[in-house]
Amino acid sequence: MEEEKEAVMVTPGEVLGRTSDVKAGRGAYAALHNNTVYASLTGFRHTVPPAPDSSDLRPTVEVTGHKAHGPVPQPGSVVIARVTKVMARSASADIMCVGPKSVREKFTGIIRQQDVRATEIDKVDMHLSFHPGDIVRALVLSLGDARAYFLSTAKNELGVVSAESIAGATMVPVSWTEMQCPLTGQIEQ
């Protein structure tokens, strides 16, 4: 009988519980102004018991979509994205993978000038750092605005992982900040 109760269909905005009783998991969010957990998508409500070694004894309430959907970028997750547009203070990118899994929906990310690297932020030239078509590994900083996630490449293991030169060849990294075209020998930032 308990299992029957758990497979309840919910819709976005539906109350799933109080923050004092449950934690918000995937497909749910906590509204801090009224301490209530709501569904953020249409699907089935599931309650996940707390881990045995967890100090927080509240179960996690999740909503899993009735249609199978791929991974969704979350703050703190590492993504692979393709740069689509480079502007003076930011670059836009289409997120292709979250961790090792490819996404099924279109997610857009923005790499702002201050999030390109950790040092000498004021000297970053976006047009030298990225070109349309570059593949970058980035960290999701936040959900950003309604159109895009904010991404960062300001760690050693992040940044451009694949780029194509003007001659059309796949560039080879030669240092932490430079890549070289194997055909022409031209070095780019």
Side-chain angles (χ1 to χ4, degrees):
M1 194 67 172
E2 182 66 27
E3 196 59 42
E4 196 67 34
K5 181 180 173 240
E6 288 295 320
V8 173
M9 182 75 128
V10 294
T11 56
E14 205 165 314
V15 174
L16 301 177
R18 307 279 299 157
T19 56
S20 57
D21 302 327
V22 294
K23 293 186 291 189
R26 288 183 307 193
Y29 65 94
L32 301 178
H33 70 279
N34 64 359
N35 297 323
T36 305
V37 177
Y38 295 97
S40 64
L41 53 91
T42 300
F44 297 101
R45 173 197 167 122
H46 298 283
T47 304
V48 180
D53 57 348
S54 174
S55 59
D56 191 344
L57 299 176
R58 297 176 298 167
T60 302
V61 65
E62 295 181 340
V63 177
T64 53
H66 61 288
K67 295 178 182 166
H69 60 83
V72 176
Q74 305 268 347
S77 59
V78 174
V79 298
I80 302 294
R82 181 187 309 274
V83 175
T84 55
K85 185 175 171 186
V86 180
M87 292 142 305
R89 297 191 171 277
S90 66
S92 296
D94 287 340
I95 296 173
M96 302 183 308
C97 297
V98 176
K101 297 182 179 175
S102 64
V103 296
R104 295 186 186 168
E105 302 168 51
K106 183 177 179 187
F107 297 109
T108 304
I110 293 178
I111 305 167
R112 299 172 296 183
Q113 184 178 14
Q114 66 262 33
D115 298 324
V116 172
R117 62 179 181 224
T119 59
E120 298 180 327
I121 295 167
D122 54 330
K123 293 182 182 175
V124 172
D125 183 338
M126 296 302 291
H127 293 284
L128 292 178
S129 301
F130 302 106
H131 297 290
D134 286 358
I135 306 296
V136 297
R137 177 181 287 134
L139 179 72
V140 178
L141 293 176
S142 67
L143 301 179
D145 57 21
R147 293 167 303 207
Y149 290 85
F150 286 143
L151 306 177
S152 170
T153 56
K155 288 186 178 175
N156 286 345
E157 67 273 13
L158 304 175
V160 176
V161 292
S162 178
E164 196 173 278
S165 70
I166 296 167
T170 301
M171 298 187 82
V172 180
V174 291
S175 75
W176 285 102
T177 58
E178 296 174 324
M179 292 183 115
Q180 184 175 23
C181 174
L183 298 178
T184 63
Q186 183 178 353
I187 292 178
E188 292 183 20
Q189 293 287 313

